[in-house]
Amino acid sequence: MLPQKQAEEAIVSNFSEVDSHDQQAKEEGSKEEENQSMFNVKNFLWHGGSAWDAWFSCASNQVAQVLLTLPYSFSQLGMVSGIVLQIFYGLVGSWTAYLISVLYVEYRSRKEKENASFKNHVIQWFEVLDGLLGPIWKALGLAFNCTFLLFGSVIQLIACASNIYYINDNLDKRTWTYIFGACCATTVFVPSFHNYRIWSFLGLGMTTYTAWYLAIAALVHGQVEGVQHSAPTKPVLYFTGATNILYTFGGHAVTVEIMHAMWKPQKFKYIYLLATLYVFTLTLPSAACVYWAFGDELLNHSNAFSLLPKNGFRDAAVILMLIHQFITFGFACTPLYFVWEKVIGMHDTKSICLRALARLPVVIPIWFLAIIFPFFGPINSAVGALLVSFTVYIIPSLAHMLTYRTASARQNAAEKPPFFMPSWTAMYVLNAFIVVWVFVVGFGFGGWASVTNFVRQIDSFGLFAKCYQCKPAVPPGNATAASAPPHHLH
């Protein structure tokens, strides 16, 4: 067995090859690091594979439309539970992202010792599970990841229609969903996560503005007359809000693809934690301030924009969120594009136009589902309980435990336990706690609550709702109807 130092050097060496689609990006990135005198605008804007690119991708992908539903979750949970659960799930999510990165390194190092080549191939999470644990785990990873990414993309389309309605209500939300579905379909032309450099940077700037707009606008507005903060009141509301927060920190479905796009993937280990710490500065102040200002009114307004006064600052926030949701749609869809390309044998194709044409069938079911289930807040909670709980928390924890269950696997591990973990046993204890907690609280109670709430939305509004939570139409001579709150059952 190689000494530890030699093993680490061998692993670093093994990561010297990346897929041929991104080989040019790697070479140009390396030249930029070695020779600062050369500056290439295309490379600067388009080809990203540094640790900073990964950080921007993780932070940008983690906070999108969920910023607008967190105040709604606080109205279900209460202020204290909302803050505590955000911190708890943020840290737990960072830990499971670390586990995914460790398993990726382990898988790649083992395969490259067998002289496997990853040219023309983007490694994905289900392939890591297949290589380390076998075909059953591959099927589990593929099913949960793809379904999660599918509904994650659906949520982006719903959010686009919900947001633009607050600027222009001449069209109903369903019509806006048609329009934005066509716009988001253009993401088929983005080859890989290397090419999201400028978009990740801009996307995080957009959500930063929106988060601080929500916080400042709520403070300036002040508390509404007779404001009440009665949460938590009902178990179904409490666990629905909790699973929405579980969903907030569940952007791991694209972790492996983001790692694979890095020039040095072994540097990813703590990037997700650093991204989460920044995200806390956005989610905690905005959700707390809006809930402080509006209290229980948020129970009938899953989108925070609907309660804030219409002005230029709000319109700017809406527009920036629309652009960011387009970017996040691309983030969620790109792994689905890769899977579909592999299924139909188009993953090795170098022509961007041919790949884009092959990817279009992926967008159609997303578009259709967004029209069937236009329930903005409730669908976040349902996806969190039924999909994110397994994809983000349970499967990575179990996979790590099973991969290193033998003494030889632990001895030859590509990555040893981190400095703050005293032993492998401590890692097993923490992973087991996460599995039990998320299965019981997230999937069990959260699944019951979120599905109950989701079914009530269908019973109230029906499938294919034309304009979910819109202002009721004003009959001639009835000026009071417009002021009636939107009907919203829980």
Side-chain angles (χ1 to χ4, degrees):
M1 185 184 70
L2 289 171
Q4 177 66 24
K5 184 175 180 180
Q6 291 179 340
E8 291 177 355
E9 291 175 354
I11 292 165
V12 174
S13 176
N14 284 335
F15 284 117
S16 60
E17 293 186 0
V18 293
D19 58 293
S20 64
H21 294 304
D22 302 323
Q23 186 65 30
Q24 183 183 0
K26 177 190 169 184
E27 292 172 356
E28 292 177 352
S30 299
K31 289 177 182 178
E32 278 192 338
E33 291 179 344
E34 296 170 2
N35 183 5
Q36 295 295 328
S37 63
M38 294 184 65
F39 180 79
N40 187 307
V41 174
K42 179 182 177 182
N43 186 64
F44 177 74
L45 297 177
W46 186 248
H47 294 304
S50 68
W52 277 106
D53 288 306
W55 182 84
F56 277 114
S57 293
C58 289
S60 179
N61 185 52
Q62 197 173 114
V63 285
Q65 93 298 329
V66 78
L67 270 177
L68 310 177
T69 61
L70 283 174
Y72 168 68
S73 297
F74 271 46
S75 71
Q76 299 167 319
L77 291 164
M79 186 75 78
V80 174
S81 290
I83 293 171
V84 170
L85 285 175
Q86 272 204 49
I87 295 172
F88 173 73
Y89 281 123
L91 295 178
V92 171
S94 298
W95 173 252
T96 54
Y98 168 80
L99 297 180
I100 292 173
S101 71
V102 167
L103 293 172
Y104 171 89
V105 170
E106 183 68 36
Y107 167 76
R108 188 157 182 175
S109 63
R110 288 186 187 182
K111 298 298 287 185
E112 289 184 343
K113 286 176 183 176
E114 300 170 1
N115 297 319
S117 173
F118 295 105
K119 290 182 178 181
N120 303 327
H121 190 89
V122 176
I123 297 173
Q124 295 187 268
W125 175 230
F126 69 89
E127 294 168 319
V128 173
L129 291 173
D130 184 29
L132 296 177
L133 297 172
I136 294 177
W137 281 87
K138 173 186 177 180
L140 282 174
L142 191 60
F144 277 105
N145 244 39
C146 288
T147 309
F148 170 39
L149 290 168
L150 179 74
F151 278 97
S153 303
V154 169
I155 288 168
Q156 301 310 317
L157 284 188
I158 297 171
C160 285
S162 177
N163 290 341
I164 192 63
Y165 184 78
Y166 296 117
I167 291 182
N168 186 337
D169 59 3
N170 293 325
L171 299 177
D172 59 76
K173 291 182 181 179
R174 188 168 66 192
T175 303
W176 280 119
T177 304
Y178 293 141
I179 294 170
F180 279 100
C183 294
C184 289
T186 59
T187 58
V188 297
F189 290 99
V190 183
S192 75
F193 281 99
H194 264 303
N195 313 116
Y196 276 100
R197 163 174 278 186
I198 189 64
W199 295 114
S200 296
F201 175 78
L202 292 175
L204 190 58
M206 293 166 187
T207 49
T208 299
Y209 171 88
T210 302
W212 285 108
Y213 157 74
L214 291 173
I216 294 170
L219 292 174
V220 170
H221 181 278
Q223 291 185 312
V224 295
E225 185 178 353
V227 65
Q228 292 184 340
H229 299 88
S230 57
T233 55
K234 300 177 182 177
V236 67
L237 294 182
Y238 187 88
F239 288 107
T240 300
T243 51
N244 187 40
I245 291 181
L246 179 145
Y247 168 82
T248 302
F249 298 96
H252 308 37
V254 295
T255 297
V256 171
E257 289 82 0
I258 292 173
M259 282 188 71
H260 191 82
M262 292 178 68
W263 298 318
K264 297 180 180 179
Q266 69 274 17
K267 289 186 175 183
F268 186 87
K269 286 187 290 187
Y270 302 114
I271 284 176
Y272 199 91
L273 174 61
L274 296 175
T276 299
L277 294 177
Y278 179 78
V279 167
F280 282 153
T281 69
L282 306 181
T283 58
L284 289 169
S286 60
C289 291
V290 175
Y291 178 55
W292 169 83
F294 297 100
D296 291 353
E297 282 191 25
L298 285 159
L299 288 170
N300 293 321
H301 298 83
S302 57
N303 189 327
F305 280 147
S306 63
L307 288 173
L308 293 166
K310 180 176 175 61
N311 55 39
F313 292 109
R314 194 193 76 165
D315 289 351
V318 171
I319 292 169
L320 291 178
M321 282 303 292
L322 285 172
I323 299 171
H324 185 263
Q325 282 153 355
F326 168 82
I327 298 167
T328 307
F329 181 93
F331 268 113
C333 261
T334 298
L336 292 176
Y337 296 153
F338 291 156
V339 172
W340 178 246
E341 287 171 357
K342 293 170 185 177
V343 168
I344 64 174
M346 293 286 288
H347 191 57
D348 296 341
T349 304
K350 294 182 179 180
S351 169
I352 292 177
C353 291
L354 282 177
R355 292 179 75 187
L357 189 63
R359 291 172 170 187
L360 278 176
V362 176
V363 180
I364 295 171
I366 294 170
W367 206 349
F368 188 61
L369 287 169
I371 295 166
I372 297 177
F373 304 113
F375 313 126
F376 188 42
I379 198 173
N380 279 8
S381 299
V383 170
L386 303 180
L387 299 174
V388 175
S389 56
F390 284 93
T391 302
V392 173
Y393 301 97
I394 294 175
I395 290 177
S397 300
L398 283 175
H400 190 274
M401 295 168 72
L402 293 174
T403 298
Y404 298 108
R405 65 188 180 277
T406 64
S408 61
R410 294 191 294 271
Q411 190 175 19
N412 296 304
E415 291 282 348
K416 302 300 182 184
F419 68 92
F420 53 85
M421 276 289 168
S423 65
W424 284 99
T425 302
M427 292 192 73
Y428 267 70
V429 170
L430 178 56
N431 289 343
F433 167 76
I434 292 171
V435 170
V436 173
W437 174 275
V438 174
F439 185 80
V440 173
V441 177
F443 176 72
F445 290 110
W448 160 74
S450 59
V451 170
T452 299
N453 192 28
F454 190 72
V455 170
R456 286 175 179 174
Q457 305 305 309
I458 296 175
D459 291 341
S460 175
F461 295 94
L463 300 177
F464 298 96
K466 188 173 184 180
C467 209
Y468 173 70
Q469 284 192 342
C470 296
K471 295 177 182 178
V474 183
N478 188 357
T480 61
S483 61
H487 183 51
H488 187 77
L489 292 179
H490 297 281

